[in-house]
């Protein structure tokens, strides 16, 4: 894939120096027109699919892609456009909405841990356990009034969220040691662009269903969300489990950068078809001979 793109501009392998105010929401276009974009995204899909087939055959590693963003940033469409060409047997998408009563009866990592990808497959989380240090931090009443935690746990919310970030970092390191690579994407849309997309949803009848009553209300907490995202990225961005902060004001650019990042991470996994032992190669030779001798 030939694309003038330096992924180091977006990859956050060590979150400590990260500052969200310096993260771009828009970059120079990577495509010349729609036809060029379609050609590029198709080439990425083909290469990602080829590596996924090797991952499936190798059956020693898995990949988890996590997508986090403010509303209207384009998570759903990005997942659809980037992964639509990959064999559906090797990919599983999970979207996490408001927790159910059963999920609230478990620890905050339970509902996502139970659907982590198997070796040989790609798992995709549309939102994830990071909501527990994003939405819950912006709206702490979720923790104090809805989540049924021991009273002593909620007395110091700063410590609670700090501990959750440590738990997340430890979980991701554990997964990595066991062959599951985790790559996280923050689709960084600007507040102005979000406003335009909300208005488009309101003004276009076919998009009305996408708009929810609380969408505009949440814009009032924009700064709080940005602080929460910055802290989450700073505390959990590692070389093994990096964040990618993707400019999201141009959806096509965003999809191309995400595609390039997924391909880059998969290439680093050294995926290949397994080498058969001599006895199995001999069996193949016998089978081939029999097939060729058939009349």
């Amino acid at each position: 894939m030939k694309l003038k793109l330096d992924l180091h501009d977006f990859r956050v392998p060590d979150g400590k120096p990260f500052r969200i105010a310096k993260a771009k929401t828009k970059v120079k276009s990577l495509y010349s027109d729609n036809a060029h974009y379609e050609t590029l995204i198709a080439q990425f899909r083909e290469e990602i699919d080829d590596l996924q087939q090797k991952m499936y055959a190798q059956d020693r590693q898995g990949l988890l892609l996590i997508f986090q963003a403010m509303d209207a940033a384009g998570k759903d469409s990005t997942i659809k456009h980037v992964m639509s060409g990959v064999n559906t047997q090797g990919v599983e998408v999970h979207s996490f909405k408001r927790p159910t009563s059963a999920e609230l009866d478990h620890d905050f990592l339970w509902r996502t841990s139970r659907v982590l990808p198997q070796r040989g497959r790609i798992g995709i989380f549309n939102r994830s356990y990071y909501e527990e240090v994003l939405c819950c931090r912006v709206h702490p009443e979720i923790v104090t009034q809805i989540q049924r935690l021991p009273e002593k746990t909620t007395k110091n919310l700063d410590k609670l969220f700090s501990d959750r970030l440590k738990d997340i970092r430890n979980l991701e390191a554990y997964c990595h040691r066991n062959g599951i690579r985790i790559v996280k994407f923050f689709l960084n849309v600007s507040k102005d662009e979000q406003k335009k997309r909300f208005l488009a949803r309101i003004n276009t009848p076919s998009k009305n269903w996408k708009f929810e009553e609380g969408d505009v209300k949440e814009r009032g907490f924009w700064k709080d969300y940005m602080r929460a995202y910055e802290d989450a990225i700073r505390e959990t961005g590692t070389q093994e489990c990096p964040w990618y902060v993707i400019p999201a004001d141009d959806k096509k650019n965003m999809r191309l950068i995400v595609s390039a990042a997924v391909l880059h991470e998969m290439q680093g996994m050294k995926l290949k078809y397994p080498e058969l032992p001599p006895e199995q190669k001999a069996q193949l030779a016998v089978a081939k001979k029999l097939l060729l001798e058939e009349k």
Side-chain angles (χ1 to χ4, degrees), residues 208-224:
N208 285 171
W209 65 274
K210 292 185 177 182
F211 192 81
E212 296 184 9
E213 183 180 354
D215 289 345
V216 173
K217 181 181 177 182
E218 287 301 286
R219 281 173 61 81
F221 300 96
W222 189 275
K223 291 183 179 179
D224 295 328

Side-chain angles (χ1 to χ4, degrees), residues 94-112:
H94 297 277
S95 296
F96 296 97
K97 307 294 185 181
R98 183 176 298 176
T100 64
S101 295
E103 289 168 345
L104 288 170
D105 273 334
H106 292 82
D107 64 272
F108 81 92
L109 290 169
W110 179 80
R111 69 171 180 162
T112 48

Side-chain angles (χ1 to χ4, degrees), residues 48-56 86 90 120-122 266:
I48 292 171
D49 181 56
D50 177 67
L51 288 173
Q52 197 284 321
Q53 291 184 49
K54 292 177 181 177
M55 180 191 293
Y56 187 86
V86 182
R121 292 171 172 80
I122 298 174
M266 293 183 75

Side-chain angles (χ1 to χ4, degrees), residues 58-73:
Q58 190 183 59
D59 200 25
R60 288 184 176 273
Q61 299 179 83
L63 177 66
L64 173 61
L65 306 176
I66 294 177
F67 289 87
Q68 293 285 158
M70 298 295 286
D71 291 327

